[in-house]
């Protein structure tokens, strides 16, 4: 559980096992499924959580996404989204 | 990728807009149930519907539903454990890629069957429980159920399922919130839902003997607020208020024929579980029609879809895109017109009916007791 401290590049995060994250063909979108609920993610949110599912460390994840999308200044945005995901319980800090 | 910013705000990431897809598929596998809950949302004449869909027919529904875009799948009833083919159906649903939810009273949920359900890929279980007081719980459901329910809760957690503890709330058990939350905390249950009863079918028959007072609701809300503050994200607690005490209608089913599709035990397709209370509608049956036609084109599913059916005050109301005019079934039950504004709405010309029902319930406090769910009930 977070004690409110902001996420760091060195943190290792993972999807919370209560959520099932996957690509949904009919919606052409990533979705998060959980007991009696679902969240459809927009393209950017889906791309970040897909990276969370593959990678562990936030710093590596940011570097991967930056490279993939050839954008320089997205680290802050990614961290902000991860904070929101953490707040919502979609992801948790592994260590 | 957006140019304004790589990661957009959480608000824009969340949507329940199905874009016309039946995202939620609820299978009422049977109306059979060993309990006699006097708030049961099954039809009053539940025993008339005898011809349950076969295993093969349910599997066909599952395949058609998935092809239409359904993602969330509920197995409900009646008591779904009454179906011996539940494990087989869950297995097929898992193969098709559904997120599978079991909605059960816990009756018949043995260790053996739990293990088989886990092996079949079941994702989560919603278990109903009325009270930690055994006598009260058993009186409310009309059977010796309490010990089974507690054992089921423990077994569900022992098998590692995420779990929703569902508490149907009436004036008889609204004071049990605190002890129920103690139990949920002890077991590590992730979600607790205090569902104030919605008044359809059996609950409507017993409305005057079930509706809590405003004071009772306020006290329960204080208990819930205290727990939320203490437990944080360890437990999600939902408190669904009785809409009789609200002057805004609920966004029922997120709109008729919008994201939700229920299949009743006999194969009738319903826009919501309660829709059979609306007389004069001929519900299409999966035995006669393809699910795609039922969802997209059948007259029943089109009847209250969108906004064209709305009357005043809904037709010009700025809220209509948020609450869809409220609940069609409630509008029908209280006003006789399913296209009327839900009387719960403060702008409805029939709003006084709700206030009168509450006043009657408070004044009456009937002593002749709850009418339990039973066969052969004389609706008249």
């Amino acid at each position: 559980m977070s004690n409110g401290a902001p996420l760091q590049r060195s943190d290792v995060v993972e999807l919370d096992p209560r959520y099932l994250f996957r690509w949904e063909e009919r919606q052409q979108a990533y979705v998060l499924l959980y007991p009696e609920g679902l969240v459809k993610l927009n393209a950017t949110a889906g791309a970040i959580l897909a990276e969370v599912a593959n990678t562990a460390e936030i710093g590596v994840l940011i570097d991967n996404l930056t490279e993939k999308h050839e954008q320089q200044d997205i680290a802050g945005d990614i961290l902000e989204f991860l904070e929101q995901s953490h707040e919502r319980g979609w992801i948790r800090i592994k260590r | 990728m957006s140019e304004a910013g790589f990661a957009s705000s959480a608000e824009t990431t969340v949507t329940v807009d199905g874009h016309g897809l039946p995202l939620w598929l609820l299978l009422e596998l049977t109306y059979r149930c060993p309990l006699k809950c006097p708030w049961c949302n099954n039809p009053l004449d539940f025993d008339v519907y005898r011809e349950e869909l076969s295993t093969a027919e349910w599997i066909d529904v599952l395949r058609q539903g998935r092809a239409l875009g359904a993602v969330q799948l509920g197995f409900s009833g009646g008591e779904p454990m009454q179906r011996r083919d539940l494990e087989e159906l869950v297995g097929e649903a898992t193969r098709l890629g559904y997120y599978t939810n079991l909605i059960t009273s816990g009756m018949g949920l043995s260790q053996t069957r739990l293990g088989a359900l886990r092996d079949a890929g079941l994702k989560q279980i919603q278990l109903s429980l009325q009270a930690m007081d055994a006598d009260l719980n058993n009186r409310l459901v009309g059977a010796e159920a309490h010990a089974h329910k507690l054992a089921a809760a423990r077994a569900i957690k022992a098998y590692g399922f995420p779990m929703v503890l569902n508490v149907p709330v009436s004036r008889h058990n609204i004071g049990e919130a605190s002890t129920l939350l103690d139990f949920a905390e002890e077991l590590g249950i992730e979600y607790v839902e205090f569902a104030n009863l919605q008044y359809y079918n059996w609950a409507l028959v017993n409305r005057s003997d079930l509706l809590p007072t405003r004071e009772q609701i306020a006290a329960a809300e204080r208990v819930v607020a205290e727990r939320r503050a203490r437990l944080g994200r360890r437990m999600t607690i939902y408190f669904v208020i009785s809409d009789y005490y609200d002057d805004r209608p609920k966004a029922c089913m997120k709109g008729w024929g919008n994201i939700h599709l229920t299949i009743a035990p006999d194969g009738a397709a319903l826009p919501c579980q309660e829709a059979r209370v609306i007389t004069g509608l001929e519900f299409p049956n999966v035995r006669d029609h393809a699910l795609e036609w039922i969802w997209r084109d059948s007259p029943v599913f089109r009847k209250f879809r969108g906004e064209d059916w709305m009357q005043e005050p809904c037709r010009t109301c700025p809220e209509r895109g948020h609450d869809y005019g409220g609940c069609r079934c409630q509008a029908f039950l209280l006003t006789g017109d399913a296209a009327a504004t839900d009387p719960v709405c403060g702008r409805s010309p029939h709003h006084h009916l709700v206030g009168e029902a509450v006043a009657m319930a408070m004044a009456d406090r009937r002593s002749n007791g709850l009418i339990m769910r039973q066969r052969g009930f004389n609706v008249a």
Side-chain angles (χ1 to χ4, degrees):
Chain A
M1 289 296 117
S2 161
N3 56 8
L7 294 173
Q8 307 294 326
R9 283 181 66 97
S10 58
D11 285 337
V12 172
V13 291
E14 62 182 357
L15 292 164
D16 188 290
R18 273 184 266 179
Y19 291 87
L20 187 70
F21 171 76
R22 68 144 195 258
W23 177 257
E24 184 63 18
E25 192 62 30
R26 279 302 302 263
Q27 309 222 31
Q28 287 294 300
Y30 281 105
V31 294
L32 277 171
L33 297 162
Y34 56 100
E36 299 171 26
L38 106 133
V39 174
K40 181 179 160 187
L41 299 156
N42 67 16
T44 48
I48 294 170
L49 289 188
E51 201 62 40
V52 170
N54 286 326
T55 322
E57 199 175 299
I58 291 181
V60 176
L61 176 161
I62 289 175
D63 292 344
N64 286 349
L65 284 167
T66 306
E67 193 177 327
K68 214 178 274 181
H69 300 285
E70 297 175 345
Q71 283 180 277
Q72 291 303 310
D73 307 322
I74 59 176
D77 286 343
I78 294 172
L79 263 179
E80 190 186 329
F81 175 73
L82 290 174
E83 293 278 2
Q84 289 171 1
S85 302
H86 191 221
E87 186 58 37
R88 285 161 181 265
W90 296 347
I91 63 171
R92 63 184 188 183
I93 299 173
K94 202 169 167 187
R95 61 165 198 271
Chain B
M1 295 297 158
S2 122
E3 291 173 27
F6 181 78
S8 51
S9 77
E11 272 63 43
T12 59
T13 65
V14 181
T15 175
V16 289
D17 180 355
H19 297 287
L21 304 179
L23 296 177
W24 281 81
L25 180 59
L26 182 73
L27 309 184
E28 295 186 314
L29 296 180
T30 179
Y31 284 145
R32 289 174 286 137
C33 182
L35 302 185
K36 301 167 183 158
C37 305
W39 55 81
C40 182
N41 67 359
N42 287 167
L44 297 176
D45 59 352
F46 66 93
D47 50 330
V48 167
Y49 306 93
R50 298 251 167 96
E51 298 286 316
E52 290 179 8
L53 294 187
S54 66
T55 307
E57 286 172 317
W58 282 121
I59 286 175
D60 187 41
V61 168
L62 287 173
R63 288 179 181 153
Q64 292 188 63
R66 188 74 186 117
L68 277 175
V71 179
Q72 277 283 355
L73 180 69
F75 292 101
S76 182
E79 172 49 61
M81 299 307 301
Q82 294 273 320
R83 288 282 300 219
R84 304 310 301 181
D85 56 358
L86 178 64
E87 293 84 343
E88 184 179 351
L89 297 175
V90 169
E92 182 63 21
T94 302
R95 277 186 288 282
L96 289 165
Y98 284 104
Y99 188 94
T100 44
N101 306 270
L102 173 64
I103 300 157
T104 179
S105 68
M107 304 303 282
L109 191 61
S110 64
Q111 298 265 356
T112 310
R113 294 196 76 184
L114 261 180
L117 287 166
R118 189 184 58 183
D119 294 345
L122 184 68
K123 294 293 186 294
Q124 79 96 6
I125 299 179
Q126 182 196 113
L127 176 76
S128 63
L129 182 65
Q130 288 69 35
M132 291 309 292
D133 179 312
D135 288 342
L136 174 60
N137 194 107
N138 292 342
R139 184 164 62 80
L140 285 174
V141 303
E144 294 294 318
H146 191 249
H148 292 286
K149 285 171 173 285
L150 297 194
R154 294 199 168 93
I156 289 166
K157 288 319 292 177
Y159 274 85
F161 286 102
M163 177 177 168
V164 177
L165 187 71
N166 178 279
V167 184
V169 173
S170 68
R171 72 181 176 93
H172 302 279
N173 68 337
I174 193 166
E176 299 281 309
S178 189
T179 50
L180 286 162
L181 285 166
D182 289 343
F183 178 68
E185 190 179 343
E186 177 199 324
L187 260 61
I189 293 171
E190 294 87 346
Y191 303 86
V192 177
E193 179 177 12
F194 291 101
N196 272 283
L197 295 174
Q198 308 287 317
Y199 293 98
Y200 311 94
N201 292 323
W202 295 91
L204 183 59
V205 168
N206 287 299
R207 185 175 62 189
S208 281
D209 212 15
L210 291 172
L211 196 66
T213 64
R214 272 186 194 279
E215 292 70 28
Q216 283 182 308
I217 291 175
E221 282 179 319
R222 282 194 295 276
V223 169
V224 168
E226 183 272 324
R227 286 303 167 114
R228 281 182 181 145
R230 185 157 65 73
L231 296 175
R233 265 179 292 157
R234 278 163 57 199
M235 188 191 290
T236 301
I237 310 173
Y238 302 106
F239 190 86
V240 183
I241 191 174
S242 167
D243 58 0
Y244 276 52
Y245 284 118
D246 214 337
D247 70 346
R248 305 304 314 142
K250 56 183 179 256
C252 199
M253 312 316 288
K254 310 281 183 203
W256 180 278
N258 189 23
I259 61 170
H260 185 97
L261 172 60
T262 291
I263 309 296
D266 61 327
L270 315 174
C272 85
Q273 276 178 282
E274 325 292 348
R276 275 188 152 141
V277 302
I278 304 176
T279 55
L281 295 183
E282 194 156 330
F283 294 99
N285 195 297
V286 297
R287 283 182 166 134
D288 308 322
H289 299 283
L291 208 56
E292 181 168 12
W293 178 84
I294 289 172
W295 177 255
R296 291 190 201 288
D297 300 320
S298 69
V300 161
F301 277 77
R302 293 169 68 105
K303 194 167 178 67
F304 303 114
R305 185 178 271 157
E307 299 180 353
D308 290 348
W309 57 273
M310 286 182 179
Q311 309 171 358
E312 292 296 353
C314 289
R315 182 178 281 278
T316 54
C317 179
E319 302 288 316
R320 67 186 185 282
H322 306 295
D323 61 30
Y324 314 99
C327 173
R328 295 307 87 227
C329 304
Q330 189 147 276
F332 177 80
L333 287 171
L334 299 187
T335 77
D337 179 4
T341 296
D342 186 337
V344 158
C345 179
R347 296 167 194 173
S348 160
H350 299 102
H351 185 58
H352 62 95
L353 294 173
V354 176
E356 286 161 19
V358 171
M360 193 171 77
M362 297 307 118
D364 197 8
R365 291 287 168 203
R366 258 197 347 233
S367 53
N368 53 345
L370 293 162
I371 296 170
M372 309 304 279
R373 170 183 143 133
Q374 56 196 271
R375 289 173 184 279
F377 184 69
N378 186 347
V379 181

